[in-house]
Amino acid sequence: MELQLIDFQARFTQDYFAWCKDHPEILEDEEKADDLYFDMLEGWLDQPMKWLGGKSPNAYFDAVKEPEMLVSMLIEYEKAEIELPDPLFRRLLEEKEKVYPMLCHILFANESQDMEREELLDVQAGVISLLTEMELPHPLERYAEKLIHLEEDCAYAEEAAEALGDAGEEAREILLKAYPASRGYGRKCFIDLLSSLSPSDDIREILLDEFAKPDADRAFLAECLGRYGDPAALPVLRRAMEEPELEYYVFLELKNAAEQLSGEEIADRDFSGDKLYDLLSAQDAGEVPHGK
C-alpha cells in the first residue's frame, strides 16, 4: 500500500474555520470553541473523505498493517515538518512493541547519503518526543553522547535534554560522564540538567568552576546556582553582585539566586544609564506604561 504525505491537521483546520465562518457565535466563548475544536476533530477523523478515495483518515491509517511502513511514514512526516497525524500516532502506539526497535535504530543512526545531519537531527527529535508520548524507555546515554557535540540550539537538543531531565537521578552518572567533553549549547544543557539534581560535591564544583570562567554566562549560571540550592555559592554570588561593570539584567539574576539561597531580601543597586534599569525605574514611577 502506497500512502500519500497529507497534512491532515491543515485540512481539518481549513474545514473547521469554514464551519466557524457560518457559526460566528461559537467563537465568542473561547473555552467552548476549544472544546468544540477537539470534538469536531475526533468526528472528522471518522468521516469518509472523497480525497481519500472514500476512506476516513482513521481508516486510511488502519489499512497500514506493516510496522515498517508506519515508521517510514513517521520519518517522512518529520522530514517534511508536517504535524504527525493523530491516526498515525494511534497506529504507532498500537504497534509500539514492534516499532520500538526500529525507533531506537533511528536514534542510533548517523548521517548518510540518504539523510544529512540537520535533517536526521530533526527526525530523531521527533522520535524522542514520540517515545515520551508512548512512555517507552529512552536510550539516555545516546542522547548525552550526541548532546556533547551540539554547538547550537536545535529541536534535538531540546527533546534530548527534556528526556534526560525527566529521568532525574537516573541520569546523574550519564551527565557527569558526558559533561567534560561537551561544548557550546550541549555544555549549557548539561550544566542546566546537573543543577536540577540533588546536591553533591562534584556538581557544586562544576557550577562554581563554570561561574568563575572569564566568558561565563553569569545570568544563566546564577539561575542554575539558585536552583541547585547550595548555600556555598552565596559568597561567590555576593562578590559578583558588587562588580562595577555589571549589566542590570545580570545583577537581577544574581540577586534572585542569592535571595533563593539566603532567604533574605537583598537591596537593589543604582544602575542609572542601563536601559533595562531606566525602563523599569520609569515604569515604577508611572512615567512609562507597563507592557510598553
Side-chain angles (χ1 to χ4, degrees), residues 5-9 76-85:
L5 199 63
I6 301 170
D7 191 339
F8 286 87
Q9 191 63 46
E76 294 306 315
Y77 270 98
E78 293 295 342
K79 285 170 62 176
E81 299 182 356
I82 298 175
E83 185 173 344
L84 196 70

Side-chain angles (χ1 to χ4, degrees), residues 8-256:
F8 286 87
Q9 191 63 46
R11 281 187 172 268
F12 168 72
T13 301
Q14 184 179 19
D15 290 350
Y16 173 75
F17 281 127
W19 184 88
C20 287
K21 187 177 180 180
D22 295 330
H23 302 80
E25 70 282 357
I26 295 296
L27 300 180
E28 294 176 5
D29 186 332
E30 186 175 343
E31 185 175 347
K32 186 175 181 181
D34 286 344
D35 291 341
L36 181 64
Y37 179 91
F38 292 106
D39 289 342
M40 289 183 65
L41 174 60
E42 187 174 347
W44 184 87
L45 291 172
D46 275 326
Q47 290 179 18
M49 307 291 181
K50 289 183 179 179
W51 45 271
L52 280 179
K55 291 182 178 179
S56 70
N58 277 326
Y60 183 69
F61 286 99
D62 284 338
V64 184
K65 304 302 181 184
E66 302 85 355
E68 295 83 0
M69 184 171 286
L70 293 172
V71 174
S72 178
M73 288 300 297
L74 165 67
I75 293 172
E76 294 306 315
Y77 270 98
E78 293 295 342
K79 285 170 62 176
E81 299 182 356
I82 298 175
E83 185 173 344
L84 196 70
D86 287 348
L88 177 54
F89 170 73
R90 175 178 55 78
R91 287 290 294 121
L92 286 162
L93 189 60
E94 290 170 353
E95 301 288 347
K96 69 178 185 178
E97 292 184 4
K98 294 179 181 178
V99 302
Y100 180 62
M102 302 178 208
L103 298 178
C104 287
H105 180 75
I106 294 171
L107 292 172
F108 280 88
N110 294 310
E111 58 187 287
S112 65
Q113 291 181 342
D114 297 328
M115 207 179 304
E116 295 182 356
R117 179 177 180 275
E118 299 304 321
E119 191 173 50
L120 177 60
L121 284 173
D122 286 342
V123 171
Q124 290 173 330
V127 172
I128 296 174
S129 176
L130 182 62
L131 289 187
T132 298
E133 292 189 70
M134 297 171 81
E135 299 182 347
L136 291 171
H138 286 281
L140 299 176
E141 290 188 8
R142 175 59 173 173
Y143 298 167
E145 176 188 321
K146 293 201 71 168
L147 267 180
I148 286 173
H149 305 290
L150 293 181
E151 296 275 5
E152 298 178 355
D153 188 8
C154 63
Y156 183 95
E158 298 297 329
E159 294 292 348
E162 184 174 346
L164 286 161
D166 288 344
E169 294 295 330
E170 179 188 343
R172 175 184 287 269
E173 293 306 317
I174 295 173
L175 298 173
L176 287 171
K177 181 180 178 181
Y179 159 78
S182 62
R183 57 180 185 265
Y185 188 77
R187 194 175 191 86
K188 188 173 183 178
C189 287
F190 287 123
I191 294 168
D192 185 57
L193 291 165
L194 288 168
S195 72
S196 299
L197 300 179
S198 58
S200 63
D201 291 343
D202 45 8
I203 297 179
R204 180 195 305 112
E205 184 177 345
I206 287 171
L207 295 178
L208 292 178
D209 283 351
E210 289 287 344
F211 191 86
K213 291 180 178 179
D215 60 345
D217 183 344
R218 292 285 185 85
F220 163 67
L221 288 163
E223 182 183 354
C224 290
L225 287 167
R227 181 190 309 119
Y228 192 58
D230 189 340
L234 261 175
V236 175
L237 293 168
R238 290 187 185 276
R239 284 195 299 272
M241 289 168 59
E242 296 171 359
E243 294 177 3
E245 301 300 324
L246 208 58
E247 291 183 76
Y248 186 57
Y249 86 93
V250 178
F251 172 82
L252 286 178
E253 291 296 344
L254 293 168
K255 178 176 178 288
N256 290 339

